[in-house]
């Protein structure tokens, strides 16, 4: 397995050309990307939304106070379009300061070239950690867009699409059923039908995807269920310490939901 870093500009082309088999980064699932780019999004791994970060010295408490502000953002993203829509809808003016890469954008904001930094809220928390004085910056409360982030694959390979899609759903189902990296071997002995199907003790669901019977067991042993992955990478167990929010399971007040394995 190889991991390849891609810029915002090159990410979709790499999937279209076959350079990469699956794109997994902060890419928003939109109609135009679904219809025009020859891609298929396999699911939503993170429900996000665009937000704003400002220097505390501005003494701004709401995005509605940003009339006339200069705003740093990255080119080639839905961020620019959302920004234009929000300021137009609220009859405010702004100056956009756009850069090709995230590193350039962060550097410009940290250096005072703009008043505001805007991107997906999850990325704002990551960006704040990179600033010279993280505590001097605050993320405003407003979320101005829907940003469903998920993996994308090249259209036409239905079997690969099914595998990538059901890996996500299996991890969500594992969390819902209480199956984790710490207890997966013990859960193989469960008498609950839905757990037995998920873990391959009953049925041939893995084989239907072209995988082994124990495909979910292998996933959970290696990386854990959805909740474990979330907490380790962006949640309470990480430096970002982002709340689960909408990404809680549907049984816990969120909207994450895995279709059943049956």
């Amino acid at each position: 397995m190889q991991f390849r870093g891609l810029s915002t500009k090159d990410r979709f082309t790499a999937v279209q050309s076959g350079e990469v088999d699956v794109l997994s980064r902060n890419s928003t699932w939109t109609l135009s990307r679904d219809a025009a780019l020859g891609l298929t999004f396999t699911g939503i791994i993170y429900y996000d939304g665009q937000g704003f970060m400002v220097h505390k010295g501005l003494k701004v408490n709401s995005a509605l106070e940003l009339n006339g502000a200069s705003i740093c953002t990255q080119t080639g993203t839905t961020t620019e379009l959302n920004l234009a829509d929000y300021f137009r809808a609220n009859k405010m003016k702004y100056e956009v300061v756009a850069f090709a890469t995230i590193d350039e954008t962060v550097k410009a904001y940290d250096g005072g070239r703009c008043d505001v930094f805007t991107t997906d809220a999850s990325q704002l928390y990551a960006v704040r950690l990179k600033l010279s004085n993280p505590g001097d910056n605050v993320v405003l409360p407003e979320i101005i867009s829907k940003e469903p982030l998920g993996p994308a694959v090249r259209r036409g390979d239905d079997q690969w699409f099914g595998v990538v899609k059901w890996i996500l759903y299996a991890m969500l189902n594992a969390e819902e059923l209480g199956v984790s990296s710490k207890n997966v071997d013990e859960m193989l002995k469960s008498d609950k039908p839905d757990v037995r199907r998920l873990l391959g003790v009953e049925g041939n669901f893995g084989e239907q995807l072209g995988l082994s019977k124990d495909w979910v067991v292998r996933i959970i042993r290696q990386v854990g269920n959805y909740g474990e992955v979330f907490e380790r990478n962006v949640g309470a167990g990480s430096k970002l310490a982002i709340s689960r929010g909408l990404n809680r399971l549907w049984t816990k007040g969120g909207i994450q939901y895995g279709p059943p394995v049956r």
Side-chain angles (χ1 to χ4, degrees):
M1 180 183 293
Q2 293 183 336
F3 292 93
R4 184 167 302 180
L6 295 169
S7 68
T8 301
K9 176 184 176 183
D10 298 331
R11 55 183 165 166
F12 298 124
T13 304
V15 182
Q16 294 167 328
S17 66
E19 181 183 342
V20 299
D21 297 307
V22 58
L23 173 69
S24 185
R25 67 192 303 278
N26 58 332
S27 299
T28 302
W29 187 353
T30 67
L31 185 151
S32 58
R33 289 173 175 176
D34 218 16
L37 294 182
L39 307 176
T40 301
F41 282 82
T42 62
I44 299 171
I45 59 174
Y46 191 96
Y47 289 92
D48 209 345
Q50 186 173 328
F52 298 96
M53 179 166 60
V54 300
H55 303 293
K56 281 186 176 179
L58 289 179
K59 297 182 180 179
V60 169
N61 298 308
S62 168
L64 294 173
E65 300 173 27
L66 295 178
N67 188 34
S70 58
I71 303 177
C72 280
T73 189
Q74 191 175 356
T75 58
T77 67
T78 56
T79 304
E80 291 178 289
L81 302 176
N82 296 332
L83 187 61
D85 286 349
Y86 181 77
F87 274 77
R88 179 182 176 186
N90 288 286
K91 297 180 173 58
M92 298 190 301
K93 296 181 180 180
Y94 71 103
E95 176 190 357
V96 65
V97 185
F99 298 88
T101 69
I102 187 66
D103 289 339
E104 290 176 304
T105 314
V106 173
K107 184 177 179 180
Y109 171 77
D110 201 24
R113 289 188 60 185
C114 51
D115 305 313
V116 185
F117 187 100
T118 185
T119 186
D120 293 346
S122 60
Q123 193 169 23
L124 288 177
Y125 289 96
V127 164
R128 188 164 61 175
L129 293 176
K130 298 179 180 180
L131 301 177
S132 53
N133 293 294
D136 291 341
N137 301 271
V138 61
V139 177
L140 299 179
E142 287 85 0
I143 297 296
I144 68 169
S145 70
K146 294 184 294 185
E147 304 295 332
L149 310 181
V153 299
R154 189 168 59 258
R155 187 172 300 150
D157 189 342
D158 291 344
Q159 184 176 11
W160 177 235
F161 166 70
V163 168
V164 177
K165 174 175 63 176
W166 278 99
I167 286 174
L168 168 60
Y169 293 155
M171 294 170 69
L172 285 166
N173 277 308
E175 182 183 8
E176 183 178 337
L177 294 172
V179 180
S180 70
S181 59
K182 297 177 181 179
N183 69 7
V184 63
D185 292 311
E186 184 65 27
M187 293 295 277
L188 284 166
K189 305 170 187 176
S190 173
D191 58 1
K192 295 181 179 179
D194 44 6
V195 173
R196 293 173 67 82
R197 286 192 298 268
L198 178 70
L199 300 183
V201 179
E202 293 181 2
N204 64 339
F205 303 103
E207 290 95 325
Q208 291 178 29
L209 290 171
L211 304 174
S212 63
K213 185 180 290 288
D214 65 342
W215 66 291
V216 177
V217 175
R218 293 164 63 189
I219 292 168
I220 303 304
R221 280 177 180 161
Q222 291 293 320
V223 300
N225 62 36
Y226 177 88
E228 289 179 283
V229 173
F230 186 102
E231 294 304 319
R232 183 171 64 244
N233 288 282
V234 300
S238 74
K239 292 182 179 179
L240 300 180
I242 298 175
S243 168
R244 281 285 291 268
L246 291 177
N247 294 287
R248 294 187 181 94
L249 295 178
W250 68 291
T251 54
K252 303 291 185 180
I255 59 177
Q256 278 290 9
Y257 186 103
V261 175
R262 63 174 313 126

